[in-house]
Amino acid sequence: LSQRMSERAVDVIKYLMKEGQMMKPGDVIDADLAEIIATEFGHTVKRVSESDVEEGIFDVADEEGELLPRPPVVTIMGHVDHGKTSLLDAIRNANVVAGEAGGITQHIGAYQVEQNGQKITFIDTPGHAAFTAMRARGAQATDIAILVVAADDSVMPQTIESINHAKAAGVPIIVAINKIDKPTANPQKVRTELLQHEVFVESMGGEVLDVEVSAKNGTNLDKLLEAILLQAEILDLKANPNRTAEGTVIEAELDRGRGAVATVLVQKGTLRPGQIIVAGDQWGRVRALVNDKGDHVKEAGPAMPVEVLGLSGTPAAGDKFAVVENEARAREISEYRLRLARDKAAARQSGSRGSLEQMMSQLQTSGMKEFPLVIKGDVQGSIEAIAGALDKLGTEEVRARIVHSAVGGVTESDISLAEASNAAIIGFNVRANTQARQAAERGGIEIRYYNIIYDLVDDVKAAMSGLLSPER
Ligand code: GDP
């Protein structure tokens, strides 16, 4: 306190002695006493809550007039083996300008390509798992989801998961019907099957864009990029490049030669070497920025992915980062975040945020009208029966919203979807696998198991009317 007041500690201690309090440097005093002392020494006191530490750093709003168009950020999702990785590679390779560092690109977790002079950013980790894991940490990095479906196969469980994860995030889908080079390819079958999952492509009277591609032969990749740009135009994506940078960590690792290396996606403002940033509970002065071609760059603007060198340690994927004015501020925020994480972990020990009761009370206080649920069941019939019964329970004030339902046990991906959507998980005649159980424990998500529909409906009904007793 004496340091902050630029007073000698001995003067503060003398004052305290005069007031009958024997103290030595390093002793802890409460806020009330601190206010009395500061006022006594002629300072104006402003009381702030601890969370004010981050005020003016994260989620700083922009004036409409400062916003300029920015490139879209795209994630590729779909069932295993339908060609997500192949498509990401094909798009990247097709867009490497000849002669550019021998055509070698570097994997940094995201890359940018150009189509008709417009940039598009691709997140280089395919799949809805990474997408939703980041969302569970509060990051909203993706603007558009490319749903890859193999034309020689059909809509598969992870196709459906991808659809539901994208929908839960409110992210529009573009369908890439892949492997059209195969003789057994049947794109029309894919379109028809998607109807059942409420993905209506244009030729079926809907608004979802779809493109037939072959990642293997590089067919129609330009058409896919054009569809992305068209969708981006509809979304009217904008950001202010002329301000301090904020964004999201895509991935981070400890490199033996370079130290902590974090790939970040700049979402607002422009990031430059020399600036001090906080990322999750880590901070540091930006020593260098490296783009997806391995080149050092002088700045990174909205939607641009760059590697940041100079952080004290590795933040987690999905952590937000922001530029702060000085080291003291950076340290203060990172310490606050460490404390926050510790408190959260402690809170998890004592209760789970995903329990039906807690979510109901959350809904009540937030005035939300929907009760999000993830339902896993042993057979499609029972899931449909549950969905039907829950639908009947809905009232004017509150109704159950099924974020995702599928046949099979509860998986890790269900947990992160529940976490990101604030949903409860219901297992009907199925259990959770080990990874899912561990993830649920970490995230404080409660999974409820049932084997009688009546019990389930009863519990949800009680939760929805706020009557469920704390112990079941
Ligand atoms: P992911 O699991 O979705 O990432 O799928 P991959 O990209 O690993 O592809 C799975 C398999 O499908 C690989 O053997 C690819 O070579 C193959 N594959 C991917 N795209 C195409 C395509 O357009 N045509 C054909 N014939 N094979 C493809």
Side-chain angles (χ1 to χ4, degrees), residues 132-133 136 161 165 353 374 376 404 409-425 432-447 449:
T132 300
E161 279 184 23
H165 283 232
R353 70 170 165 142
V374 171
K376 298 304 286 278
H404 175 63
V410 178
T411 64
E412 219 176 335
S413 139
D414 296 327
I415 307 289
S416 67
L417 179 62
E419 224 174 327
S421 316
N422 257 324
I425 299 182
N433 64 24
T434 313
Q435 292 99 310
R437 267 204 305 277
Q438 285 165 351
E441 231 160 78
R442 276 197 307 275
I445 298 293
E446 187 181 299
I447 311 169
Y449 301 104

Side-chain angles (χ1 to χ4, degrees), residues 222-234:
D222 50 345
K223 284 210 178 115
L224 180 60
L225 297 183
E226 267 156 31
I228 293 169
L229 289 174
L230 187 63
Q231 183 68 55
E233 211 177 296
I234 296 166

Side-chain angles (χ1 to χ4, degrees), residues 255-276:
D255 185 283
R256 211 181 286 162
R258 302 188 295 167
V261 179
T263 295
V264 304
L265 178 73
V266 177
Q267 292 174 293
K268 298 171 172 177
T270 299
L271 182 63
R272 298 189 173 84
Q275 290 179 326
I276 296 164

Side-chain angles (χ1 to χ4, degrees), residues 52-55 57 324-333:
D52 289 345
V53 167
E54 296 194 4
E55 202 180 297
I57 303 285
V324 295
E325 64 265 41
N326 56 44
E327 289 191 7
R329 193 72 195 273
R331 201 172 283 129
E332 192 179 23
I333 293 172

